[in-house]
Structures are given as C-alpha cells and as structure tokens.
C-alpha cells in the first residue's frame, strides 16, 4: 500500500495554544532523552512517565507514541540524544474532521478540540479521501517551522496495479539529469540549464559572503532548495506521464545508496554533484505507485560500460558516446545505460527495499 505524507498548516493558533504545543514538545524531548537511559525500556508502558516526572504532563497518547519511537530508534542503534522530538499521535488519537472547515483534533494538555487547517487545493482531495474512507490516515506529527505550526499526516491508500507490461529504465546523471528509455522511445532531461541556474545561485552567495550578509545567504539557500524541489516535481511528473503513455508497468532505477554521482572531475565541476537525486527518486517512486506502476532498484555497477552484446569494458564509454570495442554497437551513452537499467543487467538491488 503506497503512503504519502501531507504537510498542512494549522490556521493561526492563539498564543496560548502555541505555548501549549511548545511546552508539549519540550516535555516530549526531555522524556525521550530520559527514556534512552531507562533500563527497562522494553517493558515500559505509559505509567513510566510518572517515574520521569511527577509534576510535568504529557497526553498518554504522546507518551505511548514516544515510547514506541525510542524503542525502534534503539533497535536500529540510532539512539543519539534527541535535539528535539515533535509530538506524534497515532490514527486513534488524531482525527480529521470537516465542519465548514477542515480540522484536526488531537489530545493536548487542555480539552480536545478541532484545530482549523489551512488546506491547499491539492491537499483537499487527500483529506476528502480520509473522510470518505478511500484512504487510511496514519501517524500525525505536530511541528513548528519558521514560527508556524504544522501537522504532517501519513496517508496510505490502495491502488489498482496497472496491467501494462513494458519496462522503463531511468539513468540519473549530471549531463542529463534523467534519461529514460522504454523500447525504442526515449526521454531526456538535460542538466546544463539547471547547472547554469545553480552556478548563479552559488556565485550570488559568494558575493553575499564577502559582504557578510548571512541572513541573505540563508534565504538564497532556501530559495534554491525550493526551486530544486519544484524541478524534481516537474521532472518526475513528466516521467510518469511518459511511462503511462507508453504502456509501462515497471520502472527501474539505480540504487544510488553510497554512490557519488560525478563520474569524472569535469562532471563534478558542473556543480550538480549535490543535486538531490535521492529526492528525485523518491518523487518518481511515489508518483509511480499512485499510477499503479511498480518500482524496482537495480545494482548500479557497470550500467554505463556494458554493451547489449554482453561486453563490459570501461573503454566502451567516452563521455556521452558509447561504442562497443567488441561488436561496434553505438549509442548515446546515457541512453545505453538506461536500456541496461531497464533490463536490470547487473541485478536487482537487495540493499534498497522498495517501500
Ligand atoms: Zn557489443
């Protein structure tokens, strides 16, 4: 069942409410850090909160959720001290409601009431799906960003798998951000304009750095990552449209865990090395799942050096040109790689599990 998470702003909570949320967050963080050092964590129930503090308060729904979180963190050996742990509520405790306005209710230290939400048009259809039972609401997190309070709502839903059978391969890179191929059809997203725009961002920041305008530098960084996110949304949307119109039922991408994208120093210099390829893959994956298309990750080894005749040789590839040393087969190098990815030539990655 695919899951998405929706970030929705709370409509102007009063100062009193904001103070309550802030206090809850602080108590929750302290409680989580205390739990990390608590010997009987595995047997802990909500009663353990009394041992942590006899005068502080936290709704038992949050206490239980935090115990679960800390346990799972410890199991995965990621148990570092929490800088901050936002309050989380499971689907029994946080409820979406509609009464002229979309609202969410969750337990706080005061009485439980529905808090109105600022709902954007694309979010409305997801909240409606929860209300009419077409989608299932999961955990809700309450958090603050730049002085505004939000909830993230996990939503899972059923999708009918497409009966399409074709396989689409996607090669991600620096010269071409994404190269897609299915059968004889291909789709390229060139990296040069994106790299140009990113260089402008960074040269502007260098100037600001000399002037010590730290606030403006931070603003520019935020602006760039928003822009990058929008680009990744656009690219992924177009890839899924391309997949649907070409009868694709399966998308294969490389498992990039631990891979540096630059294949040469020259490429790294193009300043796309820290492009958020992980974000792009995430967007492609959830949009594919929404369209009933399966996603698989393949082992990234040698995808760009291997020929369809089976000959694998570093010399086969020269920049964007691919020419097999053995059978003389020629193709665009990124396109050749995407064809190899579609065939899962180097095998399906065991490392990266598809969500
Ligand atoms: Zn060959």
């Amino acid at each position: 069942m695919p899951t998405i998470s929706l970030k929705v702003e709370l409509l102007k909570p009063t100062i009193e409410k904001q103070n309550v949320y802030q206090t809850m967050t602080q108590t929750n963080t302290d409680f989580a850090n205390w739990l990390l050092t608590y010997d009987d964590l595995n047997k802990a129930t909500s009663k353990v909160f009394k041992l942590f503090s006899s005068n502080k308060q936290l709704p038992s729904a949050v206490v239980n959720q935090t115990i679960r979180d800390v346990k799972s963190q410890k199991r995965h050996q990621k148990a570092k001290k929490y800088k901050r742990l936002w309050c989380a509520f499971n689907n029994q405790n946080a409820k979406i409601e509609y009464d002229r306005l979309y609202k969410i209710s969750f337990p706080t230290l005061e009485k439980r009431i529905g808090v109105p939400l600022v709902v954007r048009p694309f979010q409305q259809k997801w909240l409606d799906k929860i209300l009419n039972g077409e989608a299932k609401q999961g955990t809700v997190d309450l958090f603050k960003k730049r002085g505004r309070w939000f909830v993230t709502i996990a939503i899972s839903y059923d999708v009918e798998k497409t009966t399409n059978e074709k396989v689409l391969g996607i090669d991600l890179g620096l010269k071409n951000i994404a190269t897609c191929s299915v059968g004889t059809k291909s789709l390229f997203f060139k990296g040069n304009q994106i790299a140009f725009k990113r260089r402008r961002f960074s040269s502007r920041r260098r100037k600001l750095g000399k002037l010590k305008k730290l606030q403006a530098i931070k603003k520019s960084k935020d602006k760039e990552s928003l822009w990058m996110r929008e680009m990744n949304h656009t690219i992924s949307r177009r890839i899924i449209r391309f997949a649907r119109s070409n009868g694709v039922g399966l998308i294969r991408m490389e498992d990039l865990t631990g891979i540096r994208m630059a294949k040469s120093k020259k490429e790294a210099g193009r300043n796309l090395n820290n492009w958020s390829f992980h974000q792009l893959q995430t967007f492609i994956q959830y949009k594919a799942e929404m369209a009933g298309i399966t996603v698989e990750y393949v082992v990234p080894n040698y995808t760009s050096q291997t020929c369809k005749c089976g000959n694998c040789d570093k010399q086969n590839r020269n920049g964007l040109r691919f020419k097999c040393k053995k059978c003389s087969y020629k193709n665009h190098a990124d396109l050749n790689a995407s064809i190899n990815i579609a065939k899962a030539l180097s095998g399906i990655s065991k490392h990266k599990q598809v969500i």
Side-chain angles (χ1 to χ4, degrees), residues 24-221:
M24 278 167 65
T25 307
Q26 191 53 54
T27 308
N28 193 41
T29 309
D30 296 342
F31 175 53
N33 284 325
W34 177 84
L35 276 179
L36 284 174
T37 62
Y38 180 61
D39 288 335
D40 271 337
L41 178 60
N42 278 327
K43 286 182 234 148
T45 63
S46 61
K47 288 185 189 129
V48 83
F49 190 81
K50 282 262 177 304
L51 290 175
F52 158 69
S53 167
S54 52
N55 53 9
K56 285 185 191 166
Q57 284 182 318
L58 199 60
S60 61
V62 178
V63 171
N64 286 321
Q65 193 64 34
T66 299
I67 292 173
R68 270 195 293 273
D69 279 356
V70 176
K71 272 187 198 168
S72 120
Q73 288 274 324
K74 260 199 147 165
R75 246 197 319 276
H76 295 100
Q77 265 126 29
K78 285 183 193 157
K80 278 189 225 141
K81 203 169 179 294
Y82 293 92
K83 227 173 100 191
R84 187 164 42 214
L85 185 65
W86 300 112
C87 292
F89 310 89
N90 66 11
N91 57 353
Q92 304 295 311
N93 291 294
K95 290 247 184 296
I96 306 287
E97 295 155 11
Y98 183 81
D99 175 20
R100 280 170 298 166
L101 277 172
Y102 290 91
K103 293 179 178 176
I104 187 159
S105 71
F106 47 82
T108 62
L109 303 171
E110 297 168 329
K111 71 174 192 291
R112 183 191 178 103
I113 41 158
V115 188
L117 296 168
V118 186
V119 180
R120 299 204 225 137
F122 80 92
Q123 298 179 320
Q124 201 170 325
K125 79 169 188 218
W126 285 107
L127 297 182
D128 288 341
K129 275 183 205 272
I130 294 176
L131 289 166
N132 64 28
E134 280 175 52
K136 255 181 74 186
Q137 178 218 310
T139 312
V140 169
D141 290 298
L142 171 71
F143 70 99
K144 185 165 86 169
K145 199 171 177 188
R146 295 200 196 106
R148 287 144 68 198
W149 284 89
F150 296 85
V151 280
T152 358
I153 309 166
I155 302 172
S156 51
Y157 54 96
D158 268 328
V159 180
E160 210 163 309
K161 285 262 176 214
T162 163
T163 51
N164 290 338
E165 285 177 346
K166 287 192 189 159
V167 184
L168 171 86
I170 307 175
D171 179 57
L172 301 177
L174 300 166
K175 287 232 173 81
N176 291 297
I177 294 259
T179 306
C180 309
S181 75
V182 46
T184 54
K185 298 264 177 63
S186 59
L187 178 67
F188 289 84
F189 294 90
K190 290 200 161 44
N192 46 5
Q193 281 191 359
I194 289 175
F196 174 75
K197 179 130 186 180
R198 293 199 85 193
R199 281 196 295 272
R200 284 231 309 240
F201 269 117
S202 73
S203 83
R204 189 178 134 73
R205 281 201 290 272
R206 266 198 305 278
K207 275 180 207 152
L208 291 168
K210 280 177 194 149
L211 300 168
K212 301 249 185 307
K213 296 198 168 167
L214 301 181
Q215 202 63 32
I217 291 175
K218 192 176 172 295
K219 223 170 154 184
S220 157
K221 275 187 183 154

Side-chain angles (χ1 to χ4, degrees), residues 306-311 316 322-329:
T306 308
C307 175
K308 62 178 182 180
C309 76
N311 176 35
N316 285 348
F322 180 91
K323 190 181 173 199
C324 179
K325 291 281 167 203
K326 201 170 153 198
C327 75
S328 299
Y329 167 76

